[in-house]
Amino acid sequence: MNVNFDSALTAAHAAAAAQNHPTGTLYVVATPIGNLADISLRALHVLSLCDTVACEDTRHSQTLLRAYGIDKSASNWLALHQHNEAEASEEVIRRLQSGQRVAYVSDAGTPAVSDPGARLAWQVQSAGLRVIPLPGASSVTSLLSACGTPGHDSSGFIFVGFLSSKATERGHAVELLNQEPRTQVLLEAPHRIEALAAALGILGDRPVTVGRELTKQFEEIATVPAKDLSAWLSGNAQRTRGEFALVVHAQTQVLAESSDNDRLLKILMQELPLKTAVKLAAEISGEAKNALYNRALELKQASAG
């Protein structure tokens, strides 16, 4: 698909040129995970403004920037990836100390989440230099925003990323996932997705949302029980292609039937607001607060009826 971004680049300069973009600063720039139109105006302006673009793959990032009408000479590029991050970070620091603006981009998405960049940002800050983030696309937040969650789940999420490619280590990691009640986000490559799906089968009926090829032409998002994930993948030959993000949803908290818990809640609710009663009941009984809150609502509705 041929897209002309000339007007976007003009708009980017109009929108961001008046803003302060200090020299001697590292700009951590999020780039699209698929759809080129997901770049921000601020990112376009800074990428055209900066003296050096540090990146995972110079050829990939050169192609990306040229799609937006930004062309840099060879001296403006610096390869910085997982195999040379420590050494290349020292070169970034030298360029920053000379007064350059340096942008860092990963191959796609937000740097330092699962891609390189975290060590770079740490070393730059440790050297007393400034790091400015330019937010944008992320497969993690994109899928979380679309997959939904039960209204009572306010426990947040855990970013897990890629599990080990070794079967034994991957199996152990999934056992730990099973013990964690909160929502968890995983990433996976196409050549390993079937092995991951098979491993996640031990989670049984726990819902898993799969995001495949997010923001791209053949984007697909589906929620299935973990035990059915392998069958879902095999249901269509296209489903094992592309990059994957997966959300393992929070476990449904079920409060064991207990006349003692009900009696405790009823007594506390007679004297205290519902949230305060639940908080105290959780401290006294050791039960999960969310489960007690849901039970308190049931008891309140029953008494009202």
Side-chain angles (χ1 to χ4, degrees), residues 97-149:
Q97 289 172 335
S98 72
Q100 288 194 16
R101 297 181 182 92
V102 178
Y104 182 69
V105 297
S106 56
D107 284 347
T110 302
V113 176
S114 184
D115 297 326
R119 180 179 292 184
L120 169 64
W122 181 268
Q123 289 186 218
V124 168
Q125 292 183 81
S126 298
L129 296 162
R130 189 173 179 185
V131 179
I132 294 180
L134 272 65
S138 165
S139 61
V140 175
T141 53
S142 294
L143 184 58
L144 281 169
S145 70
C147 71
T149 189

Side-chain angles (χ1 to χ4, degrees), residues 212-289:
R212 185 181 73 84
E213 291 287 83
L214 291 174
T215 80
K216 300 176 184 176
Q217 182 178 359
F218 299 107
E219 175 184 89
E220 188 171 11
I221 299 175
T223 301
V224 298
K227 65 182 181 182
D228 297 333
L229 184 55
S230 290
W232 181 84
L233 286 172
S234 62
N236 186 323
Q238 299 298 320
R239 287 180 178 163
T240 56
R241 299 180 181 180
E243 300 298 321
F244 293 84
L246 303 94
V247 169
V248 177
H249 287 265
Q251 290 179 346
T252 303
Q253 293 181 312
V254 179
L255 182 65
E257 291 185 10
S258 169
S259 58
D260 290 339
N261 286 329
D262 284 2
R263 181 171 178 272
L264 177 61
L265 283 168
K266 289 177 181 178
I267 292 172
L268 292 173
M269 288 165 61
Q270 287 176 358
E271 306 295 333
L272 299 167
L274 188 142
K275 287 187 177 180
T276 305
V278 168
K279 181 180 178 182
L280 288 176
E283 292 176 358
I284 295 169
S285 67
E287 292 281 2
K289 190 185 296 183

Side-chain angles (χ1 to χ4, degrees), residues 56-79:
E56 279 191 89
D57 184 328
T58 55
R59 289 175 298 179
H60 174 89
S61 294
Q62 282 175 345
T63 300
L64 178 68
L65 264 62
R66 284 172 182 160
Y68 299 122
I70 302 171
D71 206 352
K72 300 280 187 180
S73 64
S75 62
N76 297 126
W77 292 94
L78 177 66

Side-chain angles (χ1 to χ4, degrees), residues 148-157 181-183 248-251 253 290 294:
T149 189
H152 64 270
D153 177 28
S154 58
S155 58
F157 71 93
R182 289 171 290 180
T183 296
V248 177
H249 287 265
Q251 290 179 346
Q253 293 181 312
N290 283 353
N294 292 335

